[in-house]
Amino acid sequence: MTKQPDRIGFYAIARVSDWARELHPVVAVAVVLALALAARAAWSISHPAEPLWGDSEFYDRAAWGIATGTWWPDSHPIGYPLFLAAIYAVTGHSVGAVIAIQCVIGAASCVLIALVTEDIFDSRLIGLLSGLATALWLPWIRY
């Protein structure tokens, strides 16, 4: 017996949904995390740190000043420079360490989006797809 042409898409979606439902939650999280980390690592390796300019230059200068105790910015929000200063205090003036830590934070946000979406829609498939979409979305990989 052959399937009706208009129902083929429905059967395919049902099979994928069944597969996702049977997928262990830890495996789904691991897939999203691994893909997000790989994408961010590949971008970071293929686009080495460029000269800092604009906001990046200010944040770097402010963070290094805070880390060394020589400067405290008074006219800008202080949260991100404090975050960078904490990294610089441990690693020295290492922009590579900042990039690596931000890659991990970005990948973790993809996992969080997958988990929250799965909970909201009560569907592992939708959670997995949202996590994979954010893991591969270029603006989130770049920044």
Side-chain angles (χ1 to χ4, degrees):
M1 180 172 169
T2 60
K3 296 179 184 171
Q4 299 294 328
D6 59 326
R7 305 216 44 170
I8 291 174
F10 172 78
Y11 290 117
I13 291 171
R15 293 190 77 188
V16 170
S17 183
D18 289 343
W19 170 81
R21 192 176 307 113
E22 294 172 5
L23 187 65
H24 195 280
V26 174
V27 173
V29 166
V31 166
V32 170
L33 183 63
L35 188 59
L37 281 173
R40 282 148 182 78
W43 179 269
S44 298
I45 291 168
S46 66
H47 294 81
E50 300 164 355
L52 300 175
W53 58 276
D55 287 348
S56 299
E57 182 183 13
F58 165 77
Y59 288 129
D60 178 67
R61 192 175 67 245
W64 185 242
I66 293 168
T68 59
T70 59
W71 187 60
W72 187 263
D74 57 356
S75 62
H76 291 283
I78 194 68
Y80 189 59
L82 282 175
F83 168 73
L84 294 178
I87 296 170
Y88 288 165
V90 173
T91 65
H93 198 180
S94 172
V95 175
V98 171
I99 291 170
I101 290 170
Q102 290 185 155
C103 284
V104 171
I105 292 170
S109 70
C110 296
V111 169
L112 183 62
I113 287 170
L115 293 173
V116 169
T117 306
E118 179 181 341
D119 189 50
I120 289 172
F121 291 98
D122 196 29
S123 168
R124 185 157 303 131
L125 177 62
I126 293 175
L128 182 62
L129 291 175
S130 66
L132 293 175
T134 55
L136 297 174
W137 192 41
L138 185 59
W140 275 28
I141 293 171
R142 289 179 59 194
Y143 301 104

